[in-house]
Amino acid sequence: PADPLSPQEHGLDFQRLLDASAYKEMYRQDMIRWGEEKRCADPGFFCRTAVEGAAQPVWVVSDTRRLSDVEWFRDVYGDVVQTVRVVATEETRKRRNWVFVTGVDDTESECGLDQGVAFDWVITNNGDERSLDEQLEMLLQSLRSRL
C-alpha cells in the first residue's frame, strides 16, 4: 500500500508481522513510515498504548525502538523501570533468517539504541540455551528483590 498503515486499520495479520517472514518484509517499510508519523505527532504514543490499563510494581522494558521511548518509561515510572537489551551476533541473526535491508535495517527504528543508552541489563541470545537461562535467572532474581 502507498499509504502509511497500522495493522488494525488495514486488516493485517499482527502475529505474522512479529516474525521474520516475507509477509512482514512486504509491509515493513510502510509500518516504519506510519510509526514515524505517529511518533512525530506524539513521541509517547506507542509507550502509552503499550501500558494502557496496566499497573506494575516493576516495569521491564525490553523492546523499545528509540531513546525517546526509554526516556518516556524512565520519566513516567522512575526507579521501577529496568531496561533490557537483547543482543545476538549478526551471524546468529542470519541463521534465524534475518537479511539486512538497506533503508530499513539502518534506520533509527532498528538501530537507534545501538549507542548512547545505558541499559540496566544486556542479555545475549546467540542460541546457547544454558547461557540464556543463566542470564534470565539473574534478571528474575533482581526483579524479585524489588518486589
Side-chain angles (χ1 to χ4, degrees):
D3 296 337
L5 53 109
S6 76
Q8 298 84 0
E9 293 169 350
H10 289 79
L12 300 178
D13 184 334
F14 182 72
Q15 289 304 312
R16 290 184 67 196
L17 292 173
L18 298 176
D19 62 25
S21 67
Y23 181 88
K24 173 184 175 180
E25 293 305 316
M26 188 167 44
Y27 297 106
R28 194 168 174 204
Q29 286 184 309
D30 291 325
M31 292 298 298
I32 290 170
R33 191 172 24 260
W34 175 81
E36 293 302 320
E37 288 180 6
K38 287 290 191 186
R39 275 187 180 82
C40 286
D42 177 4
F45 174 80
F46 292 105
C47 297
R48 275 194 315 284
T49 300
V51 303
E52 189 173 294
Q56 302 297 324
V58 176
W59 284 94
V60 178
V61 181
S62 65
D63 194 25
T64 57
R65 296 296 177 153
R66 311 262 183 324
L67 179 58
S68 61
D69 296 340
V70 173
E71 290 171 340
W72 185 90
F73 275 96
R74 287 180 174 158
D75 289 346
V76 172
Y77 295 108
D79 292 339
V80 299
V81 169
Q82 290 287 286
T83 54
V84 180
R85 177 165 178 118
V86 180
V87 297
T89 64
E90 189 170 322
E91 176 183 297
T92 297
R93 296 172 71 201
K94 286 179 180 177
R95 278 197 318 266
R96 294 174 179 158
N97 298 321
W98 172 77
V99 176
F100 181 87
V101 176
T102 301
V104 174
D105 292 304
D106 53 359
T107 63
E108 184 181 10
S109 69
E110 299 302 315
C111 55
L113 296 175
D114 287 351
Q115 298 176 1
V117 179
F119 289 92
D120 298 304
W121 296 87
V122 177
I123 305 292
T124 301
N125 183 8
N126 284 321
D128 181 340
E129 196 171 322
R130 184 173 155 209
S131 173
L132 180 60
D133 286 346
E134 289 171 0
Q135 294 171 80
L136 292 175
E137 184 57 36
M138 288 175 33
L139 172 58
L140 287 171
Q141 287 177 15
S142 176
L143 295 173
R144 286 183 190 115
S145 74
R146 293 171 163 267
L147 299 176

